[in-house]
Amino acid sequence: MSFKLKVITPYGVFYEGDIDSLNVCTKQGYLTILPNHIPLVAPLAIDSMSYKANKETRVCALAGGIMYVSSEETKIIANACEYKEDIDINRALEAKKRAEQRLEHKTTNINVTRAEAALKRALNRIETFNK
Ligand code: ATP
């Protein structure tokens, strides 16, 4: 038995298709979605996400977002999403370095929340790449 997953980012449709299971990290903790899951809306954390389709598991880095589970489909609106295989590790390492430097040399005009979020995205890409 399968169910529909659609993942949308500001850059386009990341995934649309039938899957067997989905593992996501909500702001309340890890959750596995299987067919016929109860309807749900949950904010998603910056973390890895994985789904199984046609006996194959795909692992992605998800930059936070929101998930809607209904009887028809599961929809994720994400800030960004990349498959593990598509992660540019050097870019993520550079982004990590930039964010750390911004947080180290705090000045009144730097946006700490923004730098912290950039650091979380970079660390998540690095962790997902190394999985
Ligand atoms: P950077 O500062 O390197 O742009 P960022 O965290 O600000 O990182 P995002 O705004 O989250 O980047 O994403 C912008 C676009 O770039 C998205 O399409 C995202 O999938 C892609 N992207 C960001 N970092 C990477 C990476 N290390 N490897 C592959 N794609 C990436």
Short mmCIF file of all heavy atoms in Angstrom, two decimals, residues 51-101:
data_model
loop_
_atom_site.label_atom_id
_atom_site.label_comp_id
_atom_site.label_asym_id
_atom_site.label_seq_id
_atom_site.Cartn_x
_atom_site.Cartn_y
_atom_site.Cartn_z
N TYR A 51 12.32 9.03 2.56
CA TYR A 51 11.10 8.34 2.16
C TYR A 51 11.47 7.08 1.41
O TYR A 51 12.58 6.97 0.85
CB TYR A 51 10.16 9.23 1.33
CG TYR A 51 10.71 9.67 -0.01
CD1 TYR A 51 10.63 8.84 -1.13
CD2 TYR A 51 11.31 10.91 -0.15
CE1 TYR A 51 11.13 9.23 -2.35
CE2 TYR A 51 11.81 11.32 -1.37
CZ TYR A 51 11.72 10.48 -2.46
OH TYR A 51 12.23 10.86 -3.68
N LYS A 52 10.53 6.12 1.44
CA LYS A 52 10.75 4.85 0.75
C LYS A 52 9.74 4.75 -0.39
O LYS A 52 8.53 4.94 -0.16
CB LYS A 52 10.56 3.70 1.73
CG LYS A 52 11.17 2.41 1.27
CD LYS A 52 11.17 1.40 2.40
CE LYS A 52 11.50 0.03 1.84
NZ LYS A 52 11.26 -1.02 2.82
N ALA A 53 10.24 4.52 -1.57
CA ALA A 53 9.37 4.35 -2.73
C ALA A 53 9.97 3.27 -3.61
O ALA A 53 11.19 3.27 -3.85
CB ALA A 53 9.25 5.65 -3.52
N ASN A 54 9.17 2.33 -4.08
CA ASN A 54 9.66 1.22 -4.91
C ASN A 54 10.85 0.51 -4.27
O ASN A 54 11.87 0.26 -4.91
CB ASN A 54 10.06 1.73 -6.31
CG ASN A 54 8.91 2.41 -6.99
OD1 ASN A 54 7.78 1.92 -6.97
ND2 ASN A 54 9.16 3.58 -7.58
N LYS A 55 10.74 0.27 -2.98
CA LYS A 55 11.75 -0.46 -2.19
C LYS A 55 13.08 0.28 -2.05
O LYS A 55 14.07 -0.27 -1.58
CB LYS A 55 11.99 -1.86 -2.77
CG LYS A 55 10.75 -2.72 -2.70
CD LYS A 55 11.06 -4.16 -3.01
CE LYS A 55 9.82 -5.01 -2.89
NZ LYS A 55 9.40 -5.63 -4.13
N GLU A 56 13.09 1.54 -2.48
CA GLU A 56 14.33 2.31 -2.38
C GLU A 56 14.13 3.46 -1.39
O GLU A 56 13.10 4.14 -1.43
CB GLU A 56 14.68 2.88 -3.77
CG GLU A 56 16.08 3.41 -3.85
CD GLU A 56 16.31 4.28 -5.08
OE1 GLU A 56 15.38 4.44 -5.90
OE2 GLU A 56 17.42 4.82 -5.19
N THR A 57 15.11 3.67 -0.52
CA THR A 57 15.02 4.78 0.44
C THR A 57 15.85 5.95 -0.07
O THR A 57 17.01 5.77 -0.46
CB THR A 57 15.52 4.33 1.83
OG1 THR A 57 14.71 3.24 2.25
CG2 THR A 57 15.42 5.44 2.84
N ARG A 58 15.23 7.12 -0.10
CA ARG A 58 15.95 8.33 -0.52
C ARG A 58 16.09 9.24 0.69
O ARG A 58 15.13 9.47 1.43
CB ARG A 58 15.17 9.09 -1.61
CG ARG A 58 14.88 8.31 -2.88
CD ARG A 58 16.11 7.94 -3.68
NE ARG A 58 17.05 8.98 -3.97
CZ ARG A 58 17.04 9.73 -5.09
NH1 ARG A 58 16.12 9.53 -6.00
NH2 ARG A 58 17.97 10.64 -5.29
N VAL A 59 17.28 9.76 0.88
CA VAL A 59 17.57 10.63 2.02
C VAL A 59 17.80 12.05 1.53
O VAL A 59 18.50 12.26 0.52
CB VAL A 59 18.82 10.11 2.78
CG1 VAL A 59 19.16 11.00 3.96
CG2 VAL A 59 18.59 8.68 3.25
N CYS A 60 17.20 13.00 2.21
CA CYS A 60 17.32 14.41 1.80
C CYS A 60 17.63 15.29 3.01
O CYS A 60 17.35 14.90 4.14
CB CYS A 60 16.03 14.96 1.22
SG CYS A 60 14.95 13.85 0.38
N ALA A 61 18.15 16.46 2.72
CA ALA A 61 18.30 17.50 3.74
C ALA A 61 17.14 18.46 3.55
O ALA A 61 16.94 18.99 2.46
CB ALA A 61 19.63 18.23 3.56
N LEU A 62 16.35 18.65 4.60
CA LEU A 62 15.19 19.53 4.52
C LEU A 62 15.46 20.78 5.38
O LEU A 62 15.82 20.65 6.55
CB LEU A 62 13.96 18.78 5.05
CG LEU A 62 12.64 19.53 4.89
CD1 LEU A 62 11.99 19.13 3.57
CD2 LEU A 62 11.70 19.24 6.04
N ALA A 63 15.27 21.95 4.78
CA ALA A 63 15.60 23.19 5.49
C ALA A 63 14.39 23.76 6.24
O ALA A 63 14.16 24.97 6.24
CB ALA A 63 16.18 24.21 4.51
N GLY A 64 13.62 22.88 6.86
CA GLY A 64 12.44 23.33 7.62
C GLY A 64 11.26 23.62 6.71
O GLY A 64 11.41 23.78 5.50
N GLY A 65 10.08 23.63 7.30
CA GLY A 65 8.88 23.90 6.51
C GLY A 65 7.64 23.49 7.25
O GLY A 65 7.62 23.49 8.49
N ILE A 66 6.63 23.09 6.49
CA ILE A 66 5.38 22.67 7.12
C ILE A 66 4.84 21.45 6.37
O ILE A 66 5.02 21.34 5.15
CB ILE A 66 4.38 23.84 7.20
CG1 ILE A 66 3.15 23.45 8.01
CG2 ILE A 66 3.97 24.36 5.85
CD1 ILE A 66 2.58 24.58 8.82
N MET A 67 4.22 20.56 7.13
CA MET A 67 3.68 19.33 6.52
C MET A 67 2.18 19.23 6.79
O MET A 67 1.72 19.49 7.91
CB MET A 67 4.38 18.12 7.14
CG MET A 67 3.80 16.78 6.68
SD MET A 67 4.75 15.38 7.30
CE MET A 67 4.31 15.42 9.03
N TYR A 68 1.43 18.87 5.76
CA TYR A 68 0.00 18.63 5.88
C TYR A 68 -0.24 17.18 5.50
O TYR A 68 0.11 16.77 4.40
CB TYR A 68 -0.80 19.48 4.89
CG TYR A 68 -0.57 20.97 4.97
CD1 TYR A 68 0.51 21.56 4.31
CD2 TYR A 68 -1.43 21.79 5.69
CE1 TYR A 68 0.72 22.93 4.37
CE2 TYR A 68 -1.22 23.16 5.75
CZ TYR A 68 -0.14 23.72 5.10
OH TYR A 68 0.08 25.07 5.16
N VAL A 69 -0.85 16.43 6.41
CA VAL A 69 -1.19 15.04 6.10
C VAL A 69 -2.71 14.96 6.01
O VAL A 69 -3.41 15.35 6.95
CB VAL A 69 -0.70 14.08 7.21
CG1 VAL A 69 -1.06 12.64 6.89
CG2 VAL A 69 0.80 14.22 7.41
N SER A 70 -3.22 14.49 4.88
CA SER A 70 -4.67 14.29 4.77
C SER A 70 -4.90 12.89 4.22
O SER A 70 -3.95 12.17 3.90
CB SER A 70 -5.29 15.33 3.83
OG SER A 70 -5.00 15.00 2.50
N SER A 71 -6.15 12.50 4.11
CA SER A 71 -6.43 11.15 3.60
C SER A 71 -6.02 11.04 2.14
O SER A 71 -5.76 9.94 1.65
CB SER A 71 -7.92 10.82 3.78
OG SER A 71 -8.68 11.85 3.21
N GLU A 72 -5.96 12.19 1.43
CA GLU A 72 -5.60 12.14 0.00
C GLU A 72 -4.09 12.12 -0.25
O GLU A 72 -3.61 11.40 -1.11
CB GLU A 72 -6.16 13.36 -0.73
CG GLU A 72 -7.48 13.12 -1.40
CD GLU A 72 -8.59 13.85 -0.67
OE1 GLU A 72 -8.60 15.08 -0.77
OE2 GLU A 72 -9.39 13.19 0.01
N GLU A 73 -3.37 12.96 0.51
CA GLU A 73 -1.93 13.06 0.26
C GLU A 73 -1.22 13.70 1.44
O GLU A 73 -1.85 14.30 2.31
CB GLU A 73 -1.65 13.88 -1.01
CG GLU A 73 -2.08 15.31 -0.92
CD GLU A 73 -1.67 16.16 -2.11
OE1 GLU A 73 -0.91 15.71 -2.98
OE2 GLU A 73 -2.13 17.31 -2.15
N THR A 74 0.10 13.59 1.41
CA THR A 74 0.94 14.31 2.36
C THR A 74 1.68 15.38 1.57
O THR A 74 2.29 15.08 0.54
CB THR A 74 1.93 13.35 3.06
OG1 THR A 74 1.18 12.49 3.90
CG2 THR A 74 2.94 14.11 3.91
N LYS A 75 1.55 16.61 2.05
CA LYS A 75 2.17 17.71 1.32
C LYS A 75 3.17 18.41 2.24
O LYS A 75 2.86 18.66 3.41
CB LYS A 75 1.07 18.70 0.91
CG LYS A 75 1.51 19.66 -0.17
CD LYS A 75 0.39 20.58 -0.57
CE LYS A 75 -0.53 19.97 -1.61
NZ LYS A 75 -1.59 20.89 -2.02
N ILE A 76 4.35 18.66 1.70
CA ILE A 76 5.37 19.38 2.47
C ILE A 76 5.74 20.64 1.72
O ILE A 76 6.06 20.58 0.52
CB ILE A 76 6.62 18.50 2.70
CG1 ILE A 76 6.27 17.35 3.66
CG2 ILE A 76 7.79 19.32 3.25
CD1 ILE A 76 7.38 16.35 3.89
N ILE A 77 5.66 21.76 2.41
CA ILE A 77 6.14 23.01 1.83
C ILE A 77 7.43 23.33 2.59
O ILE A 77 7.41 23.57 3.80
CB ILE A 77 5.10 24.13 1.96
CG1 ILE A 77 3.84 23.70 1.20
CG2 ILE A 77 5.64 25.45 1.40
CD1 ILE A 77 2.68 24.63 1.31
N ALA A 78 8.54 23.23 1.88
CA ALA A 78 9.85 23.32 2.52
C ALA A 78 10.58 24.59 2.09
O ALA A 78 10.37 25.10 0.98
CB ALA A 78 10.69 22.11 2.14
N ASN A 79 11.44 25.08 2.98
CA ASN A 79 12.26 26.24 2.61
C ASN A 79 13.28 25.87 1.54
O ASN A 79 13.60 26.68 0.68
CB ASN A 79 12.98 26.79 3.85
CG ASN A 79 12.00 27.34 4.86
OD1 ASN A 79 11.06 28.04 4.50
ND2 ASN A 79 12.19 27.02 6.12
N ALA A 80 13.78 24.65 1.60
CA ALA A 80 14.69 24.10 0.58
C ALA A 80 14.81 22.61 0.87
O ALA A 80 14.56 22.17 1.99
CB ALA A 80 16.06 24.76 0.63
N CYS A 81 15.19 21.84 -0.14
CA CYS A 81 15.35 20.40 0.04
C CYS A 81 16.33 19.89 -1.01
O CYS A 81 16.26 20.28 -2.18
CB CYS A 81 13.97 19.74 -0.13
SG CYS A 81 13.93 18.03 0.45
N GLU A 82 17.29 19.08 -0.57
CA GLU A 82 18.23 18.49 -1.52
C GLU A 82 18.40 17.01 -1.21
O GLU A 82 18.46 16.64 -0.03
CB GLU A 82 19.65 19.10 -1.40
CG GLU A 82 19.75 20.58 -1.52
CD GLU A 82 19.60 21.26 -0.16
OE1 GLU A 82 20.17 20.77 0.82
OE2 GLU A 82 18.92 22.30 -0.10
N TYR A 83 18.50 16.18 -2.24
CA TYR A 83 18.87 14.78 -2.02
C TYR A 83 20.30 14.75 -1.52
O TYR A 83 21.14 15.57 -1.93
CB TYR A 83 18.77 13.98 -3.33
CG TYR A 83 17.35 13.67 -3.71
CD1 TYR A 83 16.77 14.25 -4.83
CD2 TYR A 83 16.59 12.79 -2.94
CE1 TYR A 83 15.45 13.97 -5.18
CE2 TYR A 83 15.28 12.50 -3.28
CZ TYR A 83 14.71 13.09 -4.40
OH TYR A 83 13.41 12.83 -4.72
N LYS A 84 20.56 13.78 -0.63
CA LYS A 84 21.90 13.56 -0.09
C LYS A 84 22.96 13.60 -1.21
O LYS A 84 23.99 14.24 -1.08
CB LYS A 84 21.88 12.20 0.62
CG LYS A 84 23.16 11.72 1.14
CD LYS A 84 23.02 10.32 1.70
CE LYS A 84 24.36 9.63 1.59
NZ LYS A 84 24.66 8.75 2.67
N GLU A 85 22.65 12.91 -2.32
CA GLU A 85 23.61 12.80 -3.43
C GLU A 85 23.86 14.14 -4.13
O GLU A 85 24.85 14.31 -4.84
CB GLU A 85 23.10 11.81 -4.50
CG GLU A 85 22.84 10.40 -4.02
CD GLU A 85 21.55 10.21 -3.21
OE1 GLU A 85 20.65 11.08 -3.31
OE2 GLU A 85 21.44 9.22 -2.47
N ASP A 86 22.93 15.09 -3.97
CA ASP A 86 23.06 16.37 -4.67
C ASP A 86 23.67 17.46 -3.80
O ASP A 86 23.84 18.60 -4.25
CB ASP A 86 21.67 16.85 -5.14
CG ASP A 86 21.09 15.92 -6.19
OD1 ASP A 86 21.89 15.25 -6.88
OD2 ASP A 86 19.85 15.86 -6.31
N ILE A 87 23.98 17.11 -2.55
CA ILE A 87 24.53 18.13 -1.65
C ILE A 87 25.96 18.47 -2.07
O ILE A 87 26.80 17.59 -2.25
CB ILE A 87 24.47 17.66 -0.17
CG1 ILE A 87 23.00 17.59 0.27
CG2 ILE A 87 25.27 18.59 0.73
CD1 ILE A 87 22.78 16.95 1.62
N ASP A 88 26.19 19.77 -2.23
CA ASP A 88 27.53 20.27 -2.53
C ASP A 88 28.20 20.50 -1.17
O ASP A 88 27.91 21.48 -0.49
CB ASP A 88 27.39 21.57 -3.35
CG ASP A 88 28.71 22.21 -3.67
OD1 ASP A 88 29.72 21.92 -2.98
OD2 ASP A 88 28.74 23.03 -4.60
N ILE A 89 29.05 19.56 -0.78
CA ILE A 89 29.62 19.60 0.57
C ILE A 89 30.50 20.84 0.78
O ILE A 89 30.49 21.44 1.85
CB ILE A 89 30.36 18.27 0.92
CG1 ILE A 89 30.77 18.21 2.39
CG2 ILE A 89 31.54 18.00 0.02
CD1 ILE A 89 29.64 18.20 3.38
N ASN A 90 31.24 21.23 -0.25
CA ASN A 90 32.11 22.41 -0.08
C ASN A 90 31.28 23.67 0.13
O ASN A 90 31.63 24.52 0.94
CB ASN A 90 33.04 22.56 -1.28
CG ASN A 90 34.07 21.45 -1.29
OD1 ASN A 90 34.53 21.03 -0.22
ND2 ASN A 90 34.41 20.95 -2.46
N ARG A 91 30.17 23.74 -0.59
CA ARG A 91 29.28 24.89 -0.41
C ARG A 91 28.72 24.91 1.03
O ARG A 91 28.67 25.98 1.66
CB ARG A 91 28.13 24.81 -1.42
CG ARG A 91 27.14 25.94 -1.28
CD ARG A 91 26.10 25.90 -2.40
NE ARG A 91 25.00 26.78 -2.08
CZ ARG A 91 23.95 26.97 -2.87
NH1 ARG A 91 23.88 26.33 -4.03
NH2 ARG A 91 22.98 27.79 -2.52
N ALA A 92 28.35 23.75 1.53
CA ALA A 92 27.81 23.68 2.90
C ALA A 92 28.89 24.03 3.93
O ALA A 92 28.62 24.73 4.91
CB ALA A 92 27.25 22.28 3.16
N LEU A 93 30.12 23.58 3.69
CA LEU A 93 31.22 23.90 4.62
C LEU A 93 31.51 25.40 4.62
O LEU A 93 31.77 26.00 5.66
CB LEU A 93 32.47 23.09 4.26
CG LEU A 93 32.38 21.58 4.54
CD1 LEU A 93 33.53 20.82 3.88
CD2 LEU A 93 32.36 21.28 6.05
N GLU A 94 31.44 26.00 3.42
CA GLU A 94 31.65 27.45 3.31
C GLU A 94 30.54 28.21 4.03
O GLU A 94 30.79 29.20 4.72
CB GLU A 94 31.68 27.88 1.83
CG GLU A 94 32.99 27.52 1.12
CD GLU A 94 34.20 28.19 1.74
OE1 GLU A 94 34.13 29.38 2.06
OE2 GLU A 94 35.23 27.50 1.93
N ALA A 95 29.30 27.74 3.85
CA ALA A 95 28.14 28.40 4.49
C ALA A 95 28.27 28.30 6.01
O ALA A 95 27.97 29.25 6.74
CB ALA A 95 26.84 27.75 4.01
N LYS A 96 28.75 27.15 6.49
CA LYS A 96 28.96 26.95 7.93
C LYS A 96 29.99 27.95 8.45
O LYS A 96 29.77 28.61 9.45
CB LYS A 96 29.43 25.50 8.18
CG LYS A 96 29.81 25.20 9.61
CD LYS A 96 30.20 23.73 9.74
CE LYS A 96 30.70 23.38 11.12
NZ LYS A 96 32.10 23.70 11.36
N LYS A 97 31.11 28.06 7.71
CA LYS A 97 32.18 28.97 8.12
C LYS A 97 31.68 30.42 8.18
O LYS A 97 31.91 31.15 9.14
CB LYS A 97 33.34 28.85 7.11
CG LYS A 97 34.69 29.16 7.72
CD LYS A 97 35.79 29.38 6.72
CE LYS A 97 36.17 28.16 5.91
NZ LYS A 97 37.12 28.47 4.82
N ARG A 98 30.95 30.81 7.13
CA ARG A 98 30.41 32.18 7.08
C ARG A 98 29.49 32.45 8.27
O ARG A 98 29.60 33.49 8.92
CB ARG A 98 29.60 32.38 5.79
CG ARG A 98 30.38 32.91 4.61
CD ARG A 98 29.47 33.45 3.53
NE ARG A 98 28.33 32.63 3.20
CZ ARG A 98 28.35 31.59 2.36
NH1 ARG A 98 29.48 31.25 1.76
NH2 ARG A 98 27.25 30.92 2.11
N ALA A 99 28.60 31.51 8.53
CA ALA A 99 27.63 31.70 9.63
C ALA A 99 28.36 31.75 10.97
O ALA A 99 28.04 32.59 11.83
CB ALA A 99 26.61 30.57 9.61
N GLU A 100 29.36 30.89 11.15
CA GLU A 100 30.12 30.89 12.42
C GLU A 100 30.87 32.21 12.62
O GLU A 100 30.90 32.75 13.71
CB GLU A 100 31.10 29.72 12.44
CG GLU A 100 30.41 28.39 12.74
CD GLU A 100 31.31 27.18 12.56
OE1 GLU A 100 32.38 27.30 11.92
OE2 GLU A 100 30.94 26.10 13.05
N GLN A 101 31.44 32.73 11.52
CA GLN A 101 32.17 34.00 11.62
C GLN A 101 31.21 35.13 11.99
O GLN A 101 31.54 35.98 12.81
CB GLN A 101 32.88 34.31 10.30
CG GLN A 101 34.18 33.54 10.17
CD GLN A 101 34.76 33.54 8.77
OE1 GLN A 101 34.14 34.06 7.84
NE2 GLN A 101 35.92 32.95 8.60
#
